[in-house]
Amino acid sequence: MTPAAETPLLHARNIGFRYGRRESDYRFDDWTASFPRGAVTALTGPSGCGKSTRLYLLALMLRISSGSIELDGERVDDLPDGARAALRANRFGFIFQDAALDTSRTVLDNVVETALYRGERKRDLHTRARELLDELGVAVPADRKPGEVSGGQAQRIATCRALIGRPDVIVADEPTGNLDPASAQVLLGALRRHTDQGAGVIIVTHDPGVAAWADHRIELSAS
Amino acid sequence: MSARTVILGLVREALAAIRTQHAVTAVTVLLLAASSFTVVTTAGRAAASQAAVLSTIDARGTRTILVQAKGAVEGVDEQFLATLARVADVEAATGFGPVTDVTAAANPDGPRLGVRQAYGVIGGRLLTQPEPGPAGVLLWTSPAASRVVGLPPGAGSVRAVDGGEYLISRSLEVPDYLSGFEPLAVIPATPREPGAAPRPVSTVVVLTRSPESVGVVTTLITRLLREAPPDQLTIQTSEGLAALRKAVGGEITRSSRGLILGVLGAAALTSALTVFGYTMLRRKDFGRRRALGATRMTIVLLIALQVMLTAAFAAALGVGVALAYQALRHQPVPPAGFSAAVAIAITALATLAAVLPATLTARRDPVRELRVP
């Protein structure tokens, strides 16, 4: 069933979160935000304001303490752990600040890793993985280990991993933070092509250029 | 998505982890192979000695019951044999008639051999023969019996001192429980005529399925032959040997049990510690997997499969090297069942021991794990 046009792809409704139980532990309350499909939304703000925490809450990697999170209009924050993991594998793509690749496996293995969590055969994704590696200009053989490539190349590989399952939502935590301008441009171009196909991208960034490039911007203040 | 695809995917991923995580694979293989080697070369040697001692005792007939009749005793006949053959605890029952002396037909003055009419079963072979043909009555002889009269195994003919001629038609392999009857030559019984009275036998040897069954079967035999005059009948059992067998088996098993449990416990503990160390070193790896969509069960299965496959290889290697070592040193090799049990126990325990650290890993917060430097 196609969601109604006005329904946001992802919606955080009055969510609250706290790390730990002490008063001094990080916390926020009553945060509401919508993330449309077919667009890039940037989360910006000073360090420590909770940008990454909100990103991981939206991606169902952390549990909110109040409020609700809806994906395509359906509440998903209260699902059991297995169902949340399945949603992450099937509906989300992730790009972390430091690429987070498995250095013991080949570039190709890294790109197709999430197939295992979706219950797909990795072999069936090899062709698409090679196309993505070409598209993002990864200039190393697919059988090479990630430890042998530069930071920029590693982040491009991580972007291929995020795109391989054609996710509805890509969450990216400062993906261009450690990249040279050329690599950053390639990565952002790939994300833009993905939103052109109807997906939503949420990107945490300190870079004013990236924030300006995004279609929407949510500015968080220090708590 | 099919369950087969998921399981094959997990197995492939576990194999890839085994290949790429050289250090943890090498340590696990080394520890578990050493455990398997230790069990086989210590407790396994004891098990081999036990098997040898028990085999010797068994060869003495721990499972046999000997019934001997003086002359034709009522009830000791081929019908009695048929009844015993139907008892679940009886593996074989063989009956013998009186002995007749024979010599090789070509050498009437040569050495004599005693031949017996035989009923029932020998070595799983039913003792029957067709009606005597022009060549004479058929005779089965053991190689030792053929040697006595100077004939090749399973061939030739013999003549009884009373003039009857027998053609040797088969070489007989004498089972252990009948070794006391060697050199054995038997005339398989002809089928009983319909309506004819059962033919009497003078000796019946009963082989039970286990030493523990001897008492029960002896009681049954005593009941079946309760009408026979006691002074005409002797029943000998091997209950004493059966008790000895039980005592020997129990003693060696007891002394090995502590050692086996100790080594298996140590193998399980080292497996748990190795897996715990491995998962702590790879926290970020498992955190990434969880973040990307791996369920807790996927993480537990991945780690358990990795340990199981490594442990199976290690156990097979340890057992194989231990068996080769024992053979090269001309020391007793444990029975195949014991070696297989050691390999399976080491693999199962190592895998079970890995489940706790694997579960702890699966329950960690992926965001926190991803931030591990």
Side-chain angles (χ1 to χ4, degrees), chain A residues 81 88 98 100 117 122, chain B residues 13 282 284 288-290:
Chain A
D81 185 80
R88 288 201 297 277
D98 67 348
Y117 316 135
K122 289 184 173 182
Chain B
E13 193 71 11
R282 307 253 332 152
K284 188 163 183 166
R288 185 201 69 247
R289 288 179 182 277
R290 285 280 289 139

Side-chain angles (χ1 to χ4, degrees), chain B residues 2 94 101 105 146 155 160 195-196 224 259 281 296 315 360:
Chain B
S2 72
T94 314
D101 281 349
S146 290
L224 287 171
L259 179 67
L281 282 172
R296 287 177 177 147
L360 289 176

Side-chain angles (χ1 to χ4, degrees), chain A residues 87-154:
Chain A
L87 278 179
R88 288 201 297 277
N90 290 289
R91 306 286 304 272
F92 287 84
F94 297 86
I95 306 172
F96 306 105
Q97 187 174 7
D98 67 348
L101 299 176
D102 185 346
T103 51
S104 67
R105 308 292 292 276
T106 65
V107 167
L108 190 64
D109 287 337
N110 271 279
V111 175
V112 299
E113 176 183 346
T114 53
L116 177 68
Y117 316 135
R118 287 192 298 273
E120 297 174 21
R121 289 198 314 174
K122 289 184 173 182
R123 208 182 321 150
D124 295 344
L125 294 179
H126 280 179
T127 304
R128 174 163 163 73
R130 290 180 198 280
E131 287 169 1
L132 281 169
L133 288 167
D134 283 345
E135 186 185 327
L136 270 85
V138 177
V140 292
D143 58 354
R144 194 74 67 80
K145 300 276 176 68
E148 303 167 35
V149 306
S150 69
Q153 293 286 326

Side-chain angles (χ1 to χ4, degrees), chain A residues 5-27:
Chain A
E6 61 273 17
T7 305
L9 176 61
L10 200 58
H11 185 63
R13 193 186 301 276
N14 304 113
I15 65 170
F17 176 75
R18 63 190 58 196
Y19 251 133
R21 293 177 182 171
R22 287 174 302 194
E23 273 304 304
S24 57
D25 287 331
Y26 173 77
R27 58 181 291 178

